[in-house]
Amino acid sequence: PIPCVPCLLRLNYTPTAPAGFFSQNSFPGISRRSSGCFDKENQYPGCPMPPPELSEETLLAPEHNEVLAKLRFISMLVDTIIGVARTKAAPLSGLTESSRLPAGQESSDGPLQRDSSSYFVYMRCLQLLSQTLEFARSELKSKRLKPSTSVKNTLATLNERFRHCLSMSKMLNAENILAESGIDPNDTSFTADRILYHYAIEQCQSAALDELFNNPGECVQRYQAAHVILHALQFQTGSQEDKSTLSKYKDAVEKRLHILEEQGYVYAYETISN
């Protein structure tokens, strides 16, 4: 299933014209004689500036915009997940995590653990992208989604991310890392979701420290990454207990983002529940 959109990306605006808008005298200062051509100094008589151009999405049906909003959210989610995979593969990530452990307790985050964690996350991303691209194909076939420029650009980005994740998965599994890790192939999605969950919690903790030390730029990015991941996990899980826990944490992150919005550090961050 494709997650719904947690942030304000939908374009439900439908332009309506007031009565008499298209009548002969709707544009004062424009005569019949001058309606066909304008000189450079008087390009738009009676108007202080040129009217803004309407985007393709403004003129299309709400169903199209809802599907496009989902595709854009998945693109943002995929970029966040790829960032998690790169973080897990970085050698310094093991040193960072081991520094948080109690004295006398050693970290098991060795090269094999880092590579396997990164591999599981890339595989989860591939699964999500495959579902999303199939969803987009079905929506295009049913004509609910139109091949607008924005749709083409978003799908091109998703296809590029798919090729990147496939390449990284093949590289990481060149020596059959899945067998060495001892994890059942059927459990890779569960393992990846657990990695993403812990990453989201770590981002929240780091964001709280950023707030404490007056570093709002970093904390906003961390909170937003955590919010995107928690929302996706909440949508994917089938456990009501897990949904409740994820919803509680996501609501807490939203509250922090709204507070930062009031302070002027983040703008137009709003949740859509459906």
Side-chain angles (χ1 to χ4, degrees):
I2 306 301
C4 57
V5 185
C7 49
L8 196 58
L9 295 175
R10 303 187 182 188
L11 306 174
N12 290 327
Y13 171 70
T14 303
T16 56
F21 185 79
F22 296 107
S23 64
Q24 180 177 349
N25 297 323
S26 297
F27 299 93
I30 301 181
S31 64
R32 288 180 179 269
R33 185 171 52 189
S34 63
S35 60
C37 59
F38 307 116
D39 55 48
K40 292 183 179 179
E41 294 181 358
N42 195 25
Q43 192 172 9
Y44 293 94
C47 298
M49 63 181 63
E53 295 183 3
L54 296 178
S55 67
E56 291 179 274
E57 273 58 47
T58 306
L59 305 175
L60 293 174
E63 293 80 7
H64 164 89
N65 290 308
E66 288 180 4
V67 175
L68 177 58
K70 285 188 177 183
L71 296 179
R72 284 173 169 170
F73 169 69
I74 294 299
S75 180
M76 180 172 57
L77 172 62
V78 164
D79 286 343
T80 303
I81 295 176
I82 290 175
V84 176
R86 288 172 177 167
T87 300
K88 291 299 177 183
L92 290 178
S93 65
L95 296 176
T96 304
E97 293 184 6
S98 63
S99 65
R100 300 172 183 167
L101 297 176
Q105 182 177 350
E106 297 182 358
S107 171
S108 59
D109 191 27
L112 176 62
Q113 181 66 26
R114 291 197 302 270
D115 289 346
S116 60
S117 295
S118 182
Y119 171 74
F120 295 144
V121 174
Y122 276 121
M123 288 298 294
R124 191 70 173 98
C125 205
L126 275 175
Q127 183 184 32
L128 177 62
L129 284 166
S130 179
Q131 292 174 347
T132 303
L133 291 172
E134 181 60 33
F135 167 73
R137 279 192 289 268
S138 67
E139 293 297 308
L140 284 168
K141 185 177 180 179
S142 67
K143 302 297 179 65
R144 284 188 294 268
L145 181 66
K146 306 298 181 182
S148 66
T149 302
S150 295
V151 169
K152 291 178 181 178
N153 291 338
T154 303
L155 291 179
T157 299
L158 292 174
N159 275 292
E160 189 277 329
R161 299 293 187 270
F162 183 90
R163 291 191 293 270
H164 171 73
C165 292
L166 182 61
S167 174
M168 293 301 299
S169 298
K170 288 181 177 179
M171 184 190 71
L172 289 168
N173 199 36
E175 299 180 0
N176 200 11
I177 195 172
L178 185 60
E180 292 185 21
S181 66
I183 295 179
D184 189 332
N186 296 324
D187 294 335
T188 54
S189 294
F190 171 77
T191 303
D193 288 347
R194 185 171 57 185
I195 292 171
L196 292 173
Y197 170 76
H198 286 299
Y199 177 85
I201 298 301
E202 290 173 3
Q203 290 299 295
C204 292
Q205 294 171 343
S206 298
L209 289 175
D210 286 331
E211 279 194 87
L212 182 63
F213 292 105
N214 196 24
N215 189 8
E218 288 290 333
C219 76
V220 168
Q221 294 178 8
R222 294 183 191 277
Y223 277 137
Q224 288 180 337
H227 184 269
V228 169
I229 292 174
L230 291 172
H231 176 80
L233 293 176
Q234 180 189 5
F235 189 84
Q236 294 289 332
T237 184
S239 168
Q240 291 300 320
E241 182 179 356
D242 290 345
K243 282 182 183 291
S244 177
T245 301
L246 291 166
S247 177
K248 180 179 67 175
Y249 290 158
K250 189 184 76 169
D251 290 344
V253 173
E254 285 181 10
K255 290 179 181 178
R256 299 310 310 165
L257 284 168
H258 283 305
I259 290 174
L260 291 168
E261 180 184 358
E262 292 174 357
Q263 296 173 354
Y265 296 119
V266 58
Y267 301 98
Y269 197 90
E270 184 174 343
T271 297
I272 296 176
S273 57
N274 58 336

